[in-house]
Every structure is written in C-alpha cells, then in structure tokens.
Amino acid sequence: MQSNVRPETMARINTVALAEAFIEEQIREVRAQVGDKKVLLALSGGVDSSVVAALLIKAIGKQLVCVHVNHGLMRKGESEQVIEIFQNQMDANLVYVDATDRFLNLLAGVSDPEQKRKIIGAEFINVFADEARKLDGVAFLAQGTIYPDILESIKQAEGKKAVKSHHNVGGLPEDLKFDGLVEPIKLLYKDEVRVVGEALGLSHEMVYRQPFPGPGLGVRCLGAITRDRLQALREADAIVREEFANSGLAGKVWQYFAVVPDIKSVGVKDDSRYEGWPAIIRAVNTVDAMTATIEEIPYAVLHKITARITAEVDGINRVLLDLTPKPVGTIEWE
C-alpha cells in the first residue's frame, strides 16, 4: 500500500467487508509508521480530510491533532458540524481556529478572482503554520490525498496538462519539519473513500457532502467581498441546500449552490423602493467535472426557494437561475 502506483491487484472497495479490511490494514500501517509520535491534520470538514481524521482517530486516538481553520468563508453550520462530530462525538484532539477577521481583512477591496484565491490559499497556510508551531512533539503531517491527486501529478510530471498538482497543505514554511506524510487513502478513488467513510461510522450527509471549493464562499461572493453580502450569500445558499434536500433533489444533483454578484437592482418592499442583490442558483450534474449538464429543477421548488430567499435574507430582492452548461460556462463563477 505504500507505492504511489495503485496495484492492479487491489480490489475495488465497494462493499462494507472490503472497506473494513482496508481500514484494519491501514490502522496497522499507520501504527507501524508513527509509533507513539503525534500526527497533525488540517481538517476542513470535506469528505477526504474527514475520512482521514476518522481513520486516524481509530488508529492512534489522541496522538492525532486536528486543526480546523474557519476562514469565515464556510457554508452555514459547517464549522459547527465539524466540532460536533469530531470533538463532541468522536472525542478528537481538535484545535478550532476562528480566523474570520484575519481572512476578511486581507480580502477587503480585492475583486480579482485569482488574487482572492491566492490570498485565501496563502493565508490558510500561514494560519495552519501558526497553530502547528504551538504544538509540541508533532512528527508527521497527515493529508487527505486520494488517487486522482496522484494521477494528476504524474500527468504534470510527464509534461501533460493537469487539472492540479498533488498537494493539500502545500508550501509550509521550512521551519516546520516533519518525519513524513501519513496518507492512508492515497490509493482510493472518491467513490471508495465514501464507502470507507461510512464503514468508519461517518454520517451519510458528511460522506456524500457535495464538492466545495477550497476558497469557499469567497469565489461565490463575486467581486470584492463585503461582510453583509457574504452573510446574505451564506443564508441564501443554506436555503437552496435545505430545499433541495426537502424535495429529494440532493441525491440527484452533483452540485448546487447560490452565487451573489456585486450588483444591485430596484425592487419593492413594504410598498417602498428597495435596492438589493440577486441570488443566482446553479445546479449541475457531471461525471468528471470536465463537462457539466444543467439539472432541471421543478418550478414548485424554484418558487419556494425564491419566496424564502426574498423573505428571509436581508439584502436580496431577486432570485435567478443559471442555465449554462460546461462548456461554455465553468461550474463555479470565479
């Protein structure tokens, strides 16, 4: 299991029995690798890092130190869910860092999408590194690397166009030295990671959490981020997700979310002129994320979402639906 090339003899992990066998094998390997030393993991709450956390808690318990950084760009309730599941239910050694002000202050006035991504990525490394320096005896860094990450890195090394390089918490400062990486799911595909996650006892909701970009809501709050528009986006997005779940669409649509651009239009509220932002709904299906089709949403669901957002979310006076497939549009707006 230590090779970076998936053995052809490795069975597809698609049953509980195979998942449990894989878990037991990884527990033995992790214990042999780290001994009595501590392991550090950046726990975002995404599928991959959550599965790694659950597996390592089972393998080494309190030797694992999880750091969850809330950059203020999380969806509604996500950081609270991480704390509830990993700290309260699984008794993990969890360090929670609320870095909201730190990130939003750096992002103030920045409208270029790539610049926003760079700021968010670099500052995440800075915050994570600051927390790592406070810890004693951490010898290993755990990562939620999965097999597609490695395949894409191989392509890049061969001079082919790759979607991304193989990295999770990349670019850590030189003073943070680790004895090695712990990557227990690096030979698994995403569907296998989900099977293993459920075998570890993680909820179906967490294991099948829809994809969420690393910069979070920062690339869905279009243009320069302001706190009031970010809050409006967070609330509108929560309503979209809740109504998709209520209508049975959550399991049928690969990704669905709200986007709020930095434009306003005239509306009417309480018989008075009311200027507000539009909330744009995007719902797509895809197999490989290279192309995407638009999911047809019943009008009854759209009407309910519209009624709720315009009534419950301050600052939004219109709800729009994005009907653009990929190509020509990308899945995310920024």
Side-chain angles (χ1 to χ4, degrees), residues 31 53 55-65 91-93:
R31 288 174 177 171
L55 198 158
L56 294 183
I57 290 168
K58 195 175 181 69
I60 58 175
K62 295 288 189 177
Q63 288 173 243
L64 174 68
V65 181
D91 195 30
N93 187 0

Side-chain angles (χ1 to χ4, degrees), residues 1 7 20 50 155 177 193 200 248 255 273 287 306 333:
M1 286 285 183
E20 290 175 345
S50 294
K155 287 180 182 179
K177 300 184 185 301
V193 174
L200 285 163
Q255 197 168 9
R273 178 188 176 95
V287 174
T306 300
W333 275 55

Side-chain angles (χ1 to χ4, degrees), residues 210 220 222 232-233 235-245 247 249 253 255-261 277-285 293-310 313 316 318-325 330-333:
Q210 62 169 306
R220 295 177 182 173
L222 307 182
L233 168 60
E235 295 297 330
D237 180 78
I239 290 171
V240 170
R241 291 187 290 122
E242 184 178 329
E243 292 304 329
F244 267 57
S247 63
L249 287 169
V253 184
Q255 197 168 9
Y256 45 95
F257 53 89
V259 172
V260 177
W277 304 291
I280 303 167
I281 300 171
R282 183 132 174 88
V284 299
N285 273 325
T293 57
I294 298 303
E295 179 65 22
E296 293 187 10
I297 310 302
Y299 269 102
V301 177
L302 292 173
H303 285 313
K304 188 168 184 181
I305 291 172
T306 300
R308 286 196 58 192
I309 289 177
T310 53
V313 182
I316 292 181
R318 293 177 190 266
V319 176
L320 313 178
L321 178 64
D322 182 355
L323 295 174
T324 314
T330 54
I331 292 174
E332 297 288 343
W333 275 55

Side-chain angles (χ1 to χ4, degrees), residues 20-57:
E20 290 175 345
F22 173 83
I23 291 165
E24 290 305 316
E25 180 176 0
Q26 290 305 310
I27 287 173
R28 289 192 297 270
E29 291 193 5
V30 168
R31 288 174 177 171
Q33 180 184 7
V34 307
D36 61 356
K37 296 179 180 177
K38 290 181 181 178
V39 179
L40 182 64
L41 170 68
L43 176 57
S44 68
V47 178
D48 301 332
S49 68
S50 294
V51 170
V52 169
L55 198 158
L56 294 183
I57 290 168

